[in-house]
Amino acid sequence: MRKLALSDEILMKVDKPARYIGNEFNSVMKDTSQVNIRFAMCFPDVYEIGMSHLGIQILYDMFNRMDDVWCERVYSPWPDLHEIMKQENIPLFGLESQEPIKDFDFVAMTLQYEMCYTNILQILDLAQIPLRSRDRAEGCPIVIAGGPCTYNPEPIADFFDIFYIGEGETQYGNLFELYKKAKADGLSREEFLHEAAKIEGLYVPALYDVEYNEDGTIRCMKPKYDDIPVKIKKQVQVDLTNSTYPEAPVVPFIKATQDRMVLEIQRGCIRGCRFCQAGMIYRPNREKKVEHLKEVAAALIKNTGHEEISLSSLSSSDYKELDELITFLLDICKEKKINISLPSLRIDAFSLDIMQKVQDVKKSSLTFAPEAGTQRLRNVINKGLTIDDIMNGSKQAFEGGWNKVKFYFMLGLPTETEEDMRGIPELANDVAALYYDTVPKEKRAGKCQITISTSFFVPKPFTPFQWARMYEPSEYLGRAKIVNDHVKEQLNRKSIRYNWHEAYVTVIEGILARGDRRLCDAIVKVYEKGGYFDAWTEYFDYDRWIDSIKECGLDPDFYTMRERPIDEVFPWDFIDIGVTKQFMIREWETAHKETVTPNCRMRCSACGAKSYGGGVCYEN
């Protein structure tokens, strides 16, 4: 029997103790005497969120296939257990072995969302690992970060020894070999990190200096040594079909946020929406071969017992073999009563035909993302979606038996006017009217329900909108009020429901998304004042953030309220994602001309991603 890190008495005191005991179906146990490297894979949020994350499942599977590596999982303890662990001096532990991660070789975190930054400090603090890289002694684990937030690692640069920029399949083997050699040769921690900085895609922030201009902008960033790179090149797994993928993922004891099998069908996106970071940093678009996906799907069904399979992709309807894949899945899923989930579909005839096949019995709601309420603004953001697309798609959905449609929009986009805001409820009203015009009374399955949701736009690094300004929370709420008031003026208002995102969180997310390393001190202050789980409404405190930033001598408005000049040096400019800054500038200027750039299959826009040697760039 394994000895649990938490006593029965403690487990009885906390909410959902199954979060902390490990030993789930398909989890991997190894003999510590037979491994050279112990690796803690951490997700800085609660178990149910972390267990839904595909990236961790992929790396967990990949690492544990290596004979001399044991990868264990770690999630942020919920505040009830956090308090007990601090009081009782219990160090944070890996779920599999239940042993303290401060004794591991590597502690790695995947960073999906800026509002989890205080949870980075929670994990380090509970693990009894010094918060800042410079304070870690010999024998401390090497602390690594990966994930989309590392495309601007500077606001959290002090907390990590290494940032892995790009997709994890390519360089971890080289890092592990270097680590074993460094241990054998007796290299110090500092010497190992210096050698690690020479591996393509790895950024060691302690080895780089930043100089600032008098106005607070960055003058330059340069390496301290001549033998480490000036630019860090994003890592891309070009051949996805033959890369590692978990066919027997860990099955959680309690219901996860996304309690289903996940089948990744492609990475990247051909569309080029100008607000979308994922669409830029995951270029080029790469597809997996359909025959391989059929084999993986069959294995997932056999090895998990989940009742739903979801296709993972930024734009599922752009996968060329989707029809064949769905036909196959329908055959094997029907007999086992397994649902098929298709997120990220476009509102067009092909998608609706696919949805008709999958939901021929149970018609759940359809979800689409026009993002903007007018055609002008959809052209600005390069959505590539016309009013005819939206109306024709909605009409076919209603004729197919759906009566519930969800639309996602953004407020605060560059060049947005009041007309664009009013366009959101007007579009919803037109779609509702279309339902009543299209579906005869005797064939209606109840009244039509249009749910419109608006988030507030946050400019992200490596997007054509990275130069855009933001607004005060009151301005965002004012824009939501315009939409809400205009909903009430619509003829079909009883068929329209409106939800909007939190404005205060948006501002802090924006500060962290485009911040520099001077923000590290502010994040520490927020944590010391009791701030963590900031992604959760009940724990987020706007004033705590603003006060902490100001106490560090920084102006929050510097990061949010100004439109950046084209020649400004960004904190993330030292990263090479393949997509060039020249392309981003061109798209920023094209946006202001309200011009659409065709998608990658229609025409190459010379973004630079072709340098990776594969994917959509080489299809023709």
Side-chain angles (χ1 to χ4, degrees):
M1 288 288 288
R2 292 181 316 147
K3 187 177 188 307
L4 294 178
L6 304 173
S7 67
D8 290 350
E9 185 186 2
I10 291 173
L11 288 170
M12 294 289 280
K13 286 180 185 174
V14 298
D15 186 35
K16 299 181 183 174
R19 290 168 171 160
Y20 311 112
I21 59 176
N23 215 27
E24 303 100 320
F25 187 60
N26 292 334
S27 60
V28 177
M29 299 299 294
K30 291 193 178 185
D31 179 349
T32 52
S33 66
Q34 301 299 309
V35 296
N36 287 321
I37 291 174
R38 298 193 65 184
F39 194 101
M41 178 58 74
C42 309
F43 193 93
D45 206 328
V46 74
Y47 176 91
E48 294 93 309
I49 305 282
M51 279 297 286
S52 302
H53 183 246
L54 178 61
I56 281 190
Q57 295 271 20
I58 291 173
L59 293 179
Y60 180 85
D61 181 76
M62 183 175 90
F63 293 157
N64 282 322
R65 291 187 191 197
M66 301 174 184
D67 291 336
D68 59 350
V69 178
W70 187 14
C71 177
E72 302 186 41
R73 293 161 299 124
V74 181
Y75 306 100
S76 280
W78 196 242
D80 55 359
L81 180 59
H82 174 105
E83 203 174 312
I84 293 170
M85 291 176 77
K86 293 290 283 182
Q87 287 170 355
E88 305 282 333
N89 197 32
I90 300 168
L92 189 60
F93 49 89
L95 285 189
E96 280 72 9
S97 68
Q98 298 280 298
E99 293 173 357
I101 61 172
K102 66 180 177 181
D103 300 329
F104 285 27
D105 298 284
F106 292 92
V107 168
M109 301 188 208
T110 180
L111 308 177
Q112 301 296 309
Y113 178 40
E114 290 83 359
M115 298 315 297
C116 74
Y117 284 178
T118 44
N119 279 54
I120 294 169
L121 302 186
Q122 181 216 24
I123 284 175
L124 293 172
D125 181 27
L126 291 180
Q128 301 172 7
I129 295 168
L131 301 186
R132 297 181 194 262
S133 173
R134 63 172 180 255
D135 299 326
R136 292 176 197 142
E138 299 294 333
C140 243
I142 302 297
V143 183
I144 305 180
C149 289
T150 62
Y151 286 88
N152 177 20
E154 291 303 278
I156 45 175
D158 286 2
F159 314 138
F160 291 96
D161 302 313
I162 298 172
F163 287 92
Y164 186 117
I165 311 295
E167 296 171 356
E169 290 95 339
T170 67
Q171 292 290 28
Y172 269 113
N174 292 331
L175 181 64
F176 293 160
E177 288 306 312
L178 174 65
Y179 181 75
K180 287 184 284 188
K181 186 176 185 305
K183 273 212 300 193
D185 294 348
L187 294 190
S188 68
R189 178 188 181 83
E190 196 176 322
E191 288 168 329
F192 165 72
L193 289 173
H194 190 123
E195 292 305 308
K198 298 175 188 176
I199 297 176
E200 189 178 85
L202 300 192
Y203 167 52
V204 179
L207 302 184
Y208 293 77
D209 286 324
V210 183
E211 294 177 16
Y212 294 90
N213 297 310
E214 282 184 26
D215 64 359
T217 58
I218 292 172
R219 179 182 300 127
C220 67
M221 178 173 173
K222 52 192 178 186
K224 294 179 179 179
Y225 303 97
D226 293 337
D227 60 346
I228 59 173
V230 175
K231 283 255 182 186
I232 310 295
K233 188 170 174 61
K234 172 190 83 174
Q235 296 303 290
V236 168
Q237 179 67 20
V238 179
D239 180 7
L240 283 184
T241 298
N242 294 308
S243 65
T244 307
Y245 195 81
E247 296 184 1
V250 181
V251 179
F253 278 139
I254 55 176
K255 187 175 173 60
T257 310
Q258 294 178 346
D259 201 21
R260 59 183 73 131
M261 298 165 271
V262 179
L263 185 65
E264 185 186 40
I265 59 175
Q266 61 183 359
R267 279 186 205 164
C269 182
I270 62 171
R271 295 289 163 179
C273 297
R274 292 176 180 132
F275 59 83
C276 180
Q277 187 187 49
M280 296 293 162
I281 62 176
Y282 294 123
R283 287 189 175 206
N285 173 253
R286 292 144 288 149
E287 295 190 342
K288 293 186 178 181
K289 290 180 180 166
V290 70
E291 292 307 320
H292 170 72
L293 289 174
K294 291 175 184 178
E295 292 170 11
V296 175
L300 286 169
I301 290 167
K302 178 186 171 189
N303 295 330
T304 65
H306 282 302
E307 295 175 344
E308 183 168 293
I309 186 164
S310 175
L311 304 190
S312 170
S313 161
L314 291 174
S315 181
S316 299
S317 36
D318 290 324
Y319 178 66
K320 289 187 297 183
E321 309 293 339
L322 186 62
D323 209 1
E324 183 181 341
L325 180 61
I326 293 297
T327 304
F328 169 80
L329 289 176
L330 283 170
D331 286 345
I332 62 169
C333 291
K334 255 183 180 168
E335 58 185 87
K336 297 180 186 293
K337 295 188 168 61
I338 292 169
N339 294 326
I340 301 169
S341 167
L342 289 166
S344 313
L345 285 180
R346 291 176 70 79
I347 187 164
D348 56 27
F350 170 66
S351 300
L352 287 157
D353 180 50
I354 295 282
M355 290 297 287
Q356 190 78 42
K357 289 178 183 174
V358 217
Q359 295 190 8
D360 58 349
V361 181
K362 181 191 171 194
K363 293 280 192 288
S364 62
S365 65
L366 286 174
T367 302
F368 299 110
E371 308 293 1
T374 62
Q375 192 58 51
R376 184 200 72 81
L377 193 52
R378 282 193 292 278
N379 291 350
V380 168
I381 66 177
N382 206 45
K383 187 63 191 175
L385 197 64
T386 66
I387 188 65
D388 287 344
D389 294 330
I390 295 168
M391 300 309 284
N392 290 338
S394 301
K395 184 172 186 286
Q396 287 167 26
F398 296 145
E399 287 172 345
W402 282 275
N403 67 330
K404 294 178 183 173
V405 182
K406 294 178 184 172
F407 286 121
Y408 286 109
F409 298 91
M410 276 189 283
L411 290 171
L413 286 160
T415 80
E416 183 180 64
T417 65
E418 187 167 325
E419 185 182 344
D420 299 313
M421 300 170 215
R422 289 173 171 271
I424 293 171
E426 287 168 11
L427 178 60
N429 182 69
D430 291 346
V431 171
L434 184 70
Y435 173 79
Y436 296 114
D437 291 343
T438 301
V439 185
K441 216 169 190 176
E442 65 276 8
K443 290 189 177 178
R444 291 175 195 163
K447 72 170 189 176
C448 167
Q449 187 181 92
I450 310 292
T451 303
I452 52 177
S453 297
T454 58
S455 60
F456 298 115
F457 164 68
V458 177
K460 291 290 175 95
F462 294 112
T463 66
F465 286 172
Q466 61 188 348
W467 289 275
R469 62 162 297 178
M470 293 182 69
Y471 300 95
E472 296 283 359
S474 57
E475 171 68 21
Y476 288 120
L477 293 172
R479 293 179 185 223
K481 186 177 186 304
I482 288 171
V483 176
N484 195 39
D485 289 348
H486 203 47
V487 166
K488 294 169 186 170
E489 296 168 6
Q490 302 307 305
L491 193 63
N492 292 294
R493 58 188 172 275
K494 289 184 178 176
S495 294
I496 304 171
R497 182 182 298 159
Y498 177 44
N499 310 308
W500 60 92
H501 189 57
E502 296 164 63
Y504 292 93
V505 174
T506 298
V507 172
I508 302 303
E509 184 187 341
I511 292 170
L512 296 175
R514 294 188 294 174
D516 51 56
R517 59 172 72 179
R518 292 173 299 183
L519 283 169
C520 293
D521 291 341
I523 295 170
V524 171
K525 269 191 188 296
V526 171
Y527 180 69
E528 288 172 346
K529 292 176 184 178
Y532 59 102
F533 279 110
D534 285 288
W536 295 71
T537 307
E538 61 265 45
Y539 296 110
F540 173 75
D541 184 331
Y542 178 74
D543 292 334
R544 180 163 57 202
W545 273 99
I546 294 297
D547 292 346
S548 298
I549 291 166
K550 288 180 176 176
E551 284 165 23
C552 293
L554 300 171
D555 178 6
D557 290 354
F558 171 80
Y559 296 103
T560 53
M561 297 297 287
R562 59 193 187 89
E563 184 173 300
R564 311 305 203 245
I566 287 295
D567 59 354
E568 180 168 331
V569 176
F570 289 138
W572 54 91
D573 275 350
F574 69 94
I575 297 173
D576 173 12
I577 67 159
V579 181
T580 64
K581 197 168 187 180
Q582 289 72 24
F583 170 76
M584 302 286 187
I585 292 169
R586 200 162 70 236
E587 282 293 284
W588 175 236
E589 292 169 348
T590 306
H592 285 85
K593 295 173 188 167
E594 300 173 11
T595 303
V596 171
T597 299
N599 73 58
C600 298
R601 286 210 173 100
M602 289 173 69
R603 190 189 78 202
C604 176
S605 299
C607 73
K610 192 174 182 180
S611 62
Y612 283 100
V616 68
C617 311
Y618 290 83
E619 274 181 10
N620 300 313

